[in-house]
Amino acid sequence: MSNYSSETVSQSQSEMKYGEREIAEGQLITFPNPRVGRRYDVSITLPEFTCKCPFSGYPDFATIYITYVPDERVVELKALKLYINSYRDRYISHEESANQILDDFVAACDPLAVTIKADFTPRGNVHTVVEVRHQKDV
């Protein structure tokens, strides 16, 4: 016999889990670039991006590729993971998700250059790749 009553199970299902709380509270965090003045590329792959189609509500899945040249700040990876996970229940188009990620990334760490590539899993025989860029005026 289980130690859990249906009331206990119902309560635990309605409470926000710690991971959900971290995602909801998450924001892009940066730290000082350890090599300011040296031009180098940072490439990050996030293969578990999800969001929802704003028209059908169907889930969309993508791999997000971020390649950037830091200036004064570098993005913290756990914070980036939580930020990306915050899209999972958002109704947002492929184009808008790539552009919003770019805008938020630029606002957080003001890189010399950044490219965001959102490679969406085919759905209904359609494969979409959205690539957006930012170049800092120096």
Side-chain angles (χ1 to χ4, degrees):
M1 181 168 213
S2 172
N3 292 334
Y4 295 105
S5 69
S6 61
E7 182 180 322
T8 303
V9 171
S10 178
Q11 285 176 345
S12 68
Q13 289 175 346
S14 65
E15 294 173 8
M16 186 177 276
K17 310 292 187 247
Y18 76 89
E20 294 169 323
R21 192 170 42 256
E22 285 182 344
I23 290 168
E25 296 169 358
Q27 58 184 343
L28 289 175
I29 297 169
T30 63
F31 59 92
N33 180 358
R35 294 292 181 151
V36 173
R38 175 175 287 169
R39 191 172 178 94
Y40 62 96
D41 295 331
V42 177
S43 296
I44 302 165
T45 302
L46 302 149
E48 298 177 347
F49 179 85
T50 61
C51 62
K52 292 181 179 179
C53 174
F55 305 104
S56 69
Y58 292 145
D60 284 318
F61 305 93
T63 298
I64 304 294
Y65 300 93
I66 301 173
T67 303
Y68 74 106
V69 179
D71 191 6
E72 301 285 327
R73 313 289 304 163
V74 177
V75 72
E76 196 275 324
L77 296 177
K78 181 179 179 186
L80 178 61
K81 173 188 78 169
L82 294 172
Y83 166 79
I84 287 296
N85 285 339
S86 74
Y87 280 82
R88 71 179 181 194
D89 291 324
R90 288 178 67 178
Y91 295 95
I92 188 168
S93 70
H94 298 171
E95 297 80 5
E96 180 58 16
S97 61
N99 278 284
Q100 188 62 58
I101 293 167
L102 177 69
D103 290 347
D104 294 344
F105 194 89
V106 169
C109 62
D110 193 26
L112 294 173
V114 59
T115 300
I116 307 290
K117 179 180 174 184
D119 185 352
F120 283 85
T121 302
R123 183 161 51 89
N125 200 32
V126 176
H127 179 206
T128 306
V129 178
V130 179
E131 195 166 314
V132 292
R133 292 173 201 75
H134 169 80
Q135 183 78 36
K136 186 174 181 177
D137 296 327
V138 286

